[in-house]
Structure formats: structure tokens, C-alpha cells
Amino acid sequence: MSKFRSFFRNHLVLVGLAAVVAPLLTILGLQYWSLKQLKKSSVLAGSVVMRNYLNDASKEVRTFYRNAAEAALNIPASAVREGDFERARRHFGRRTCEGVKRLFVARFGDGGDVQIRFFHPADGGPADEVPTAESHAAQRVAVPMQHLSAAGTAVRRLDAPELQDYDPENIVLFKPVVDESSRVVGVAGMLLDTAYFRDVLVPRVVSETLPRFFPDGADRRVIVSLHDAAKNRLFASQEAEGQKDAVALRLHYFNDYSLVIRSRHMTAEQWARWNFNFTMTLSLLMTAALVGGIAFSLRTAAREMRLSQMKADFVSNVSHELRTPLASIRVFGEFMKLGRVGDPAKIQEYGEHIETESRRLTQLINNILDFSKIESGAKTYHFERLAIEDVVAETLKTCEVRLRQVGFALVYHPAPRPLPRVMVDAEALAQALMNLLDNAVKYSADAARREVIVRAGERGGRVEISVTDHGVGIAPAEQRKIFEKFYRVSTGLVHDVKGSGLGLSLVKHIVEAHRGTVTVTSDLGRGSTFTVSLPAADGAAGAEGTEGAEPVIGDDPSRGLAYKH
Ligand code: ADP
């Protein structure tokens, strides 16, 4: 159980992501599947809607002619039998028949003769000069009816008119005129006006039905056109060619003509595909944003957890760091107070111990105070144009005793030529250098070569100070992290060396405040070199590197004292 918990804590980001990504991927998969289904059904629905529209428009055309026939062709038998078609004329005169080019009535005589009279649809007036094709069309209707009449066959009364369309230019709708005993006594008919059908009726039906069927401007997304038998486009609701998804339907009565509907910009299939891609892309983007956001939050949470752990370690480390020098000072102080040491050399030695331990305490407290100032943004620097050698030499002098006490030789290679001046805060830079020296000693306790080398030099117009030790070294993976606040390498040879984890983060902050950089090169188990590089104030270029300079301070470790933590 605890193993599981520690795995969870160590891999918070991974576990968190897995917990989010798995359901997200499932949802995405389901969405993909349902979009695929939707794509298929919307293609189907698209063509069904188109077909339904055509049926609807075609019904409108049929209703128009049926109504016209209903109004004009229901003539009573008495009106046909009597006199000279006067009653038929009056019957037609009372109605205006749109879309009809001629009306006619046929009467069957007893001797088998057929009399046909034509009338104008506008006013029912007699039409005398009728084109032959029209009178042939009327005869093709009347003659078979006359046979029925002569045979005395009883016929069914039909609601709808009948159609005669041998001649596509003279289509006839007619109704037999039937007497009380259901025998045919004549025929009333109408010759349909093809030009009206083509130029008036179809455009009107299309413009009325389209918005009803495709509301909210969707009617602009389809093109409806009328085609003749030779597939010529006679009329179209929009000029554009449109797509290839045409659906066609032959019209009632005008069977040679078809009404065709097609998509204007995108077919239902293209539309469904576009919709599919768009929705999937949106979902993928949303998923990516969600996963990114969650990863970011989890990383931040993991960082916070690490930081709070580091802070807890920090408190215990600092307590330890404070206790050790305080204990030393107290012991040496008690010795001296009790007068147990009479030898002046011993007194000097104890005095030196007390001094170095209190310096360590001061350095530690300075580090903590500076860190808190940096965190609150209150840290200030006082830059002066100085010879950096002086700052380095002064700091080394201060540290030299302590290094000697712990058995370390401090070797200084100054630059062969005077270095360019640098804008520095001498106190802050000294503190940074002391932190580097302190680390060099701390992490070389068991080294064969107890030596710290300090070099000052110039490279590419920048002044460089480096601190080299032959201690435990730093693994490549840790080299970047050691400059983070509270970070301490807690594995390998260094795990029992105490520290606050603040030293290098302060060094970095101080150096960067000087517009400089601090870098580390290190071989695990063989030692490390920390290099501080600062921009020269006057940009003067001097000698490259520092090789060959003579060591000048504290090169004799045998004079030092053993240092105990
Ligand atoms: P600490 O108080 O732990 O020394 P620092 O910020 O000074 O804190 O250093 C951070 C970590 O870097 C240390 O815990 C140590 O592991 C590593 N480190 C610093 N200087 C050296 C060095 N000279 N040799 C080896 N490791 C070092």
C-alpha cells in the first residue's frame, strides 16, 4: 500500500494524466463512432429531403391543373345536348382558366357524328380558327368517347380529369359529359398551355415551395431546375451550375419535363464530411488544450509538493548547521572561562576556532537573510567600479584561516595582467565567492587532494573567477538543478553533508544581478569547477585565460587544522 502511495506521489503528473487521458480517449473514440454514423445518416437524409421536395412541388403542379379542370370541365349533360353550345359558352365565360390555351366541348350526334366547339379560356368566347394540331388533339379525345356513347356503355364518374398527351405540345385534360344513366353524351376538354407551364407555373411553384421546404435561407443552398426531354435546362432557381448530386422527378401531365434539384455549394456528402472533420478537429484541439492544462497544473502541483518537502528539509538542515558551530563556540568558550588553557598557543588556536565558527554562523545567517530579501524583492545592490582582484584577494584572505583549519590548501592563480574593472557590489560578490569556497570544502571532505584552486582571468572581454575542487563532483543530471533554491543532491557521497540548499541559488542571484553568469563543469568523483563570468565595465580586453599564473596564498595544507562537522 505504501509502495503504491509513494509511486503515486513520485509520478503524480503521469498518474494524473493517465486518469484524465484514458476517459478522454474513450470519449473521443465514442464521438468518432457517433460522428461516422451521423455522417452516413445525414447523406441519406439529404437525398430524402430532396426527393420529398420534388414530390411536393410536383403535387402542386398537379393540383393546379386538377383545380382548373374541376372548375371548367364539369359541364351538365343538358348543356351539351341542347342547341348550339350556348350554355357551354356561358359556363366557360363564368370562369377564367389560367394555364389553358383552349377549351372545347364535343357532342355526339345520333348518326355517329362528332361536333367539336372550341372556346377562349379568358372569356369563354367561341374560337373559330383553331390550329389543326389542336383540333386533332381534341378529336383524339372525342372519337373514343363517341364509340362509348354509340355503344351506350355506362361509365364511371371520375373526379380527376383524364390525360391525353400523344402530342406533347397539345396536352389535353378532359372529362366525359355523362347523363343521369351514366352514359357518355359528350366530352369537355382543355388544351394545356406549355409556355405558361414552363415560364409561369413552374417558376411560381418553385419560388413558393422552396422556402417552405428549406427554411431560414437554406433554399439558397439548393438549385431547382426544369428540364425538357432533351435535358435542356429551361428554368433554374439560381444561375450557378451546382453540384453533381442531382435528384430528378418527371412532372404530372407534362411527362416529358423533369424537375431537378441539386446542392449549390456542397453535396450532403461533402457537407457531412466537412462537419465530421470540423467537429473531430475541434474535439482534438479541446482535448489537447485540456490535457495540456491538466499536465501544467499537475506539474505545478508536483513542483509545489517538491518545494514544500525541500522547505521541510531546509528547516532541519539549518537547525543542524546552526547547532554545530554554536556547540563548538560554547565548548571553546567554557574551556577559556574555566581557565583550563594556559598555553598562549592553545588560547590563540581556540580563539581562531571561535572566530571561524562565528564567521560560519554569520555567513549562514547572511545567506538566510539575503534569501528572504530576494524572495520578497527587497534585496538591493550597491555597484562600484572596482578592480575585481582586490575583492577576490580580500575574500580569500578571510577564508584562508578556515580552510587551513580544515586541512585544505587554497591556491590562487591571479590574472597575469591587471583585469578590466567591473561594476560590482563588493560585499555581495564576496558572499558569492565565500559560498563557492565553502561548498568546495564541504564536498571534498574525503578527497585525496584537499586543495581548492581559485583562478581569476579574462575571456572574451569578460572577467572570470573560478573555484575548483577535487571533491565528490556532481552528476550531469544534477548540474542544472543545484542552482535552484533549496535543492540539494541527496544521493551518493554527499548525502551526509549538511547544508541549507541556499548557497548556490544565492550565488546565481548575485551573479545575475551583476549581469553575469555562473556555470559548473564537473566530473563525478573527481571534482568540480564553478565559474563566475562578469562583464567588464570598460570592455577592455586583456590576456586570454589564466594558465601559468603563480599561486600566492595559503598553498601549504599542512598548516591547517582538521575540520569537524
Ligand atoms: P548546500 O547548502 O546544500 O551546499 P548549495 O546551494 O550551496 O546548498 O548547493 C546545492 C547542492 O549542490 C549541494 O547540496 C551539493 O549537492 C551540490 N554542490 C554544490 N557545490 C558543490 C561542489 N563543489 N561539489 C559537489 N557538489 C556540490
Side-chain angles (χ1 to χ4, degrees):
M1 194 65 191
S2 74
K3 254 188 187 173
F4 176 75
R5 222 178 279 152
S6 86
F7 176 84
F8 185 80
R9 214 182 11 250
N10 293 338
H11 300 86
L12 178 68
V13 177
L14 275 183
V15 173
L17 272 183
V20 173
V21 168
L24 263 181
L25 284 182
T26 315
I27 292 171
L28 263 186
L30 284 174
Q31 193 187 19
Y32 177 83
W33 179 80
S34 82
L35 279 175
K36 273 244 156 221
Q37 301 300 318
L38 187 71
K39 192 173 145 191
K40 273 189 217 157
S41 47
S42 42
V43 171
L44 207 68
S47 73
V48 169
V49 169
M50 284 183 166
R51 197 157 286 284
N52 284 349
Y53 169 76
L54 291 182
N55 281 330
D56 201 57
S58 154
K59 264 189 211 150
E60 290 272 323
V61 171
R62 187 182 61 181
T63 308
F64 174 83
Y65 286 115
R66 274 200 181 181
N67 289 345
E70 182 67 26
L73 304 185
N74 284 335
I75 292 180
S78 54
V80 175
R81 281 205 208 101
E82 288 167 15
D84 56 355
F85 298 102
E86 187 47 34
R87 277 189 64 188
R89 196 191 66 75
R90 267 192 271 123
H91 172 84
F92 290 138
R94 282 198 293 274
R95 297 157 179 87
T96 38
C97 287
E98 257 188 291
V100 173
K101 62 180 176 184
R102 213 78 62 195
L103 293 159
F104 67 85
V105 173
R107 183 167 68 190
F108 311 131
D110 292 339
D113 61 317
V114 178
Q115 282 180 293
I116 300 177
R117 283 283 186 286
F118 288 89
F119 302 90
H120 289 300
D123 54 4
D128 295 330
E129 286 178 17
V130 173
T132 325
E134 288 186 22
S135 85
H136 281 175
Q139 279 168 28
R140 273 197 294 276
V141 169
V143 171
M145 286 293 140
Q146 192 274 330
H147 288 308
L148 279 179
S149 171
T153 313
V155 295
R156 264 194 305 134
R157 279 181 188 277
L158 298 172
D159 282 340
E162 290 190 64
L163 172 71
Q164 209 286 90
D165 65 345
Y166 286 117
D167 175 3
E169 284 307 308
N170 292 293
I171 293 169
V172 180
L173 289 186
F174 65 94
K175 276 193 158 191
V177 182
V178 180
D179 66 9
E180 308 73 45
S181 48
S182 297
R183 281 180 226 290
V184 181
V185 293
V187 175
M190 50 172 52
L191 282 142
L192 304 188
D193 184 349
T194 310
Y196 180 91
F197 161 79
R198 194 178 53 214
D199 303 334
V200 180
L201 180 64
V202 171
R204 190 175 71 212
V205 165
V206 168
S207 74
E208 280 171 10
T209 48
L210 256 188
R212 212 165 60 215
F213 228 84
F214 299 92
D216 303 326
D219 55 327
R220 299 289 305 162
R221 294 208 211 118
V222 289
I223 299 173
V224 179
S225 49
L226 178 70
H227 296 243
D228 64 12
K231 301 223 181 325
N232 297 316
R233 185 158 144 163
L234 307 175
F235 153 80
S237 61
Q238 291 181 65
E239 275 308 306
E241 258 311 298
Q243 298 297 320
K244 298 216 171 341
D245 58 339
V247 181
L249 185 74
R250 280 173 183 272
L251 285 168
H252 286 285
Y253 307 132
F254 287 86
N255 285 332
D256 279 353
Y257 294 82
S258 320
L259 205 56
V260 178
I261 184 167
R262 48 163 49 90
S263 309
R264 177 172 178 178
H265 302 291
M266 273 201 262
T267 63
E269 198 178 349
Q270 288 167 332
W271 183 251
R273 202 179 313 130
W274 184 89
N275 201 34
F276 174 84
N277 291 342
F278 180 73
T279 316
M280 269 329 274
T281 312
L282 266 190
S283 302
L284 284 174
L285 283 177
M286 264 168 57
T287 309
L290 206 66
V291 169
I294 288 168
F296 179 75
S297 325
L298 286 173
R299 253 193 84 197
T300 315
R303 251 178 104 116
E304 287 300 316
M305 274 169 70
R306 217 176 63 213
L307 209 64
S308 74
Q309 181 61 45
M310 282 176 169
K311 277 183 182 164
D313 293 348
F314 168 78
V315 173
S316 98
N317 289 337
V318 165
S319 320
H320 182 92
E321 284 270 282
L322 287 172
R323 215 179 297 135
T324 316
L326 278 176
S328 301
I329 291 169
R330 200 181 61 232
V331 169
F332 288 125
E334 273 171 8
F335 276 162
M336 290 166 85
K337 185 184 86 181
L338 296 172
R340 289 204 190 146
V341 264
D343 183 0
K346 274 280 171 205
I347 292 178
Q348 192 189 347
E349 186 194 322
Y350 286 1
E352 272 183 5
H353 267 296
I354 291 173
E355 191 196 343
T356 39
E357 292 301 329
S358 36
R359 270 189 204 284
R360 269 190 75 194
L361 272 179
T362 312
Q363 192 186 338
L364 182 65
I365 290 165
N366 280 349
N367 274 355
I368 295 171
L369 287 178
D370 275 0
F371 174 74
S372 100
K373 276 190 195 164
I374 288 168
E375 286 290 284
S376 63
K379 171 87 181 156
T380 51
Y381 293 92
H382 304 285
F383 293 103
E384 283 173 281
R385 203 159 188 273
L386 294 174
I388 200 156
E389 300 95 317
D390 296 346
V391 182
V392 176
E394 192 63 35
T395 315
L396 295 187
K397 217 192 288 166
T398 319
C399 296
E400 192 241 338
V401 178
R402 186 176 156 241
L403 259 76
R404 192 156 32 83
Q405 281 175 350
V406 291
F408 272 80
L410 178 59
V411 183
Y412 179 37
H413 295 276
R417 279 183 253 159
L419 290 170
R421 303 228 153 191
V422 180
M423 292 300 289
V424 285
D425 177 326
E427 205 181 308
L429 195 69
Q431 192 189 354
L433 199 55
M434 273 197 276
N435 281 347
L436 291 178
L437 289 168
D438 194 40
N439 279 351
V441 171
K442 268 201 306 191
Y443 300 104
S444 310
D446 301 326
R449 264 176 86 186
R450 292 166 76 86
E451 175 189 64
V452 178
I453 304 164
V454 178
R455 289 188 174 87
E458 191 193 353
R459 194 183 296 271
R462 293 171 78 86
V463 174
E464 285 187 350
I465 302 151
S466 65
V467 177
T468 303
D469 63 61
H470 308 290
V472 292
I474 305 156
E478 306 278 6
Q479 288 178 11
R480 218 160 27 95
K481 297 188 201 160
I482 54 174
F483 293 98
E484 288 172 19
K485 58 188 175 189
F486 302 126
Y487 190 84
R488 306 200 68 233
V489 178
S490 53
T491 51
L493 297 168
V494 290
H495 70 278
D496 54 349
V497 179
K498 289 291 169 192
S500 62
L502 292 182
L504 286 182
S505 78
L506 275 170
V507 172
K508 187 166 184 266
H509 190 275
I510 292 170
V511 171
E512 284 177 354
H514 285 75
R515 292 192 290 122
T517 54
V518 54
T519 50
V520 61
T521 51
S522 183
D523 262 349
L524 201 55
R526 299 181 64 180
S528 322
T529 298
F530 285 84
T531 306
V532 171
S533 164
L534 302 174
D538 45 14
E544 277 279 305
T546 55
E547 293 302 319
E550 281 300 307
V552 291
I553 303 174
D555 56 348
D556 181 6
S558 61
R559 293 191 299 147
L561 288 169
Y563 176 83
K564 291 190 185 72
H565 284 288

